[in-house]
Amino acid sequence: DTGVSQNPRHKITKRGQNVTFRCDPISEHNRLYWYRQTLGQGPEFLTYFQNEAQLEKSRLLSDRFSAERPKGSFSTLEIQRTEQGDSAMYLCASSQLETGTYEQYFGPGTRLTVT
Amino acid sequence: DAKTTQPPSMDCAEGRAANLPCNHSTISGNEYVYWYRQIHSQGPQYIIHGLKNNETNEMASLIITEDRKSSTLILPHATLRDTAVYYCIVRAFYNQGGKLIFGQGTELSVKP
């Protein structure tokens, strides 16, 4: 257990429905990252926050995806109008810049299946 | 960030050293080499990172060649729990707080 939690762990939804995932980072960590991983591939970066500011978004993050970190603590990732191609593991990670280490601590992920 | 090349898979006998190579021939002077691993059904886990000197921690050792074009992650006494996908990642110093760019990694199977 890295201290990063994600909920739910599994989500099955029908195509066209909206889904929201939550990530709770390690409490003192100011950076929070979202990645997506499909079967047999390495994780792909989606977006990251420093405190509540979203600093970078990947081109993978289409306009159906939105991420928030309203108070600089937990974050949510929402996918609107889900498509079968959205089926993947969604991973959250956090890090703390000020300690001078840059390792990212990953949560267990949320596995999304779109039917 | 520089591109990396790793073998897709490797086997190692339990108790022996596992040596995982990574080629990063286009690495530049301000880029660090990071290693993460991902055990099945878990999120990636940080292992070690280095710039040009060899590094060692409680998990592994990282050997970087003098020209920095390649590196080797060494697990000195591999156990069955070390079976995982190992990712070698190169990151610029100024991007150390930013995203990780994962490749395909090396799938290490530790066998009894």
Side-chain angles (χ1 to χ4, degrees):
Chain A
D1 183 359
T2 63
V4 179
S5 61
Q6 293 188 245
N7 287 289
R9 294 292 308 278
H10 303 274
K11 178 72 176 177
I12 300 174
T13 191
K14 292 185 188 302
R15 190 175 54 189
Q17 298 293 304
N18 299 343
V19 294
T20 299
F21 311 139
R22 177 179 170 127
C23 171
D24 287 273
I26 294 170
S27 59
E28 63 270 23
H29 283 188
N30 58 1
R31 287 213 170 178
L32 186 148
Y33 312 78
W34 285 98
Y35 295 83
R36 180 175 72 184
Q37 186 174 26
T38 54
L39 204 60
Q41 304 297 314
E44 296 173 294
F45 169 76
L46 292 177
T47 188
Y48 83 90
F49 294 83
Q50 179 163 317
N51 300 314
E52 63 274 12
Q54 191 171 16
L55 294 189
E56 186 175 353
K57 292 193 291 187
S58 163
R59 287 173 293 177
L60 293 174
L61 212 67
S62 74
D63 55 7
R64 295 185 299 105
F65 289 70
S66 63
E68 293 184 343
R69 194 181 184 201
K71 297 183 180 178
S73 57
F74 72 92
S75 175
T76 58
L77 177 68
E78 181 184 16
I79 309 175
Q80 297 182 325
R81 306 181 303 280
T82 52
E83 302 172 355
Q84 288 189 320
D86 297 330
S87 294
M89 176 76 84
Y90 290 83
L91 293 160
C92 172
S94 68
S95 71
Q96 173 60 282
L97 286 189
E98 278 71 21
T99 59
T101 58
Y102 304 100
E103 58 191 276
Q104 294 182 15
Y105 293 82
F106 282 80
T110 295
R111 181 165 296 284
L112 172 67
T113 302
V114 181
T115 62
Chain B
D1 294 335
K3 182 177 169 56
T4 62
T5 304
Q6 299 177 254
S9 63
M10 293 181 64
D11 290 341
C12 177
E14 188 178 20
R16 304 297 293 269
N19 297 287
L20 294 100
C22 180
N23 182 286
H24 31 79
S25 57
T26 60
I27 195 169
S28 61
N30 67 352
E31 290 182 315
Y32 284 71
V33 180
Y34 279 73
W35 284 83
Y36 280 74
R37 74 178 182 184
Q38 188 172 23
I39 295 169
H40 183 62
S41 296
Q42 297 183 21
Q45 176 191 22
Y46 166 83
I47 302 173
I48 199 168
H49 75 280
L51 182 63
K52 55 184 178 181
N53 298 320
N54 297 339
E55 302 287 344
T56 295
N57 63 20
E58 64 278 4
M59 288 183 69
S61 294
L62 174 60
I63 308 297
I64 302 174
T65 58
E66 193 168 342
D67 62 9
R68 304 209 321 120
K69 291 179 187 269
S70 65
S71 60
T72 301
L73 178 76
I74 301 173
L75 308 178
H77 306 286
T79 71
L80 299 178
R81 288 177 295 181
D82 292 321
T83 292
V85 178
Y86 287 76
Y87 297 100
C88 170
I89 299 167
V90 171
R91 299 171 85 189
F93 174 79
Y94 57 82
N95 188 36
Q96 286 198 94
K99 63 192 175 194
L100 292 167
I101 299 175
F102 292 85
Q104 300 275 55
T106 295
E107 185 164 10
L108 175 68
S109 296
V110 180
K111 300 181 184 301

